[in-house]
Amino acid sequence: MVGLLAIAAGLITLLLQALSEVVANPALSLVDGYWMGRLPWTAVGVDLVVGGATVALVFGAATAWLAGGPVRRIASALAFVVGAFWWFLAMLPPPQGAFCASCPPPGPDPITMAYSLPEAVALFLLLPSAVAGAVGVSARRAHRSAVVDPAVS
């Protein structure tokens, strides 16, 4: 639940930041407002979305797997594999440009990738985390047997 709430908070932050750009300049669209990328709110929103989606994906899949049921296990495993694929791509080193002998090689930057490719994040991280989170939240709960007092009934 915490991951899903962080996703919602991040998306609301990104929407409000883009909306503030549209209010400041009515000729812009919400997409233009997103691409303005004003700091710190865009970075906070993207961080919340990526972090929340990762938490929802990992803990939702684990909860669904431990709670049992073949459909829950298959759905959570597929969602986890798709989300792990996004993280694999995000952790690859960026393509090298012109050679610079004195520059250290750049490392992976998943947050920048998430900002630059929001469609990929929505498809390969947000959607699987929503599935894993929903499957995890809907997992079977152990029912407690009620103690019945024969004198009361």
Side-chain angles (χ1 to χ4, degrees):
M1 292 297 288
V2 171
L4 295 175
L5 291 174
I7 292 170
L11 291 175
I12 290 170
T13 301
L14 290 172
L15 177 68
L16 290 177
Q17 187 277 325
L19 190 60
S20 72
E21 296 293 336
V22 172
V23 168
N25 184 357
L28 298 176
S29 68
L30 283 176
V31 174
D32 295 332
Y34 172 79
W35 287 116
M36 292 284 192
R38 304 271 183 195
L39 293 175
W41 298 113
T42 301
V44 168
V46 173
D47 288 348
L48 282 171
V49 168
V50 171
T54 303
V55 167
L57 181 68
V58 170
F59 287 103
T63 301
W65 192 263
L66 294 174
V71 174
R72 283 187 182 91
R73 287 182 176 167
I74 291 171
S76 66
L78 290 174
F80 186 80
V81 166
V82 172
F85 176 71
W86 184 86
W87 271 103
F88 171 74
L89 292 178
M91 295 309 290
L92 289 175
Q96 299 297 318
F99 179 72
C100 175
S102 63
C103 301
D109 191 1
I111 301 301
T112 300
M113 181 180 164
Y115 173 73
S116 300
L117 298 171
E119 299 89 1
V121 172
L123 188 60
F124 293 114
L125 190 61
L126 285 180
L127 185 60
S129 67
V131 169
V135 170
V137 168
S138 71
R140 289 185 276 183
R141 306 282 192 269
H143 295 289
R144 296 181 185 169
S145 59
V147 177
V148 179
D149 186 8
V152 175
S153 16

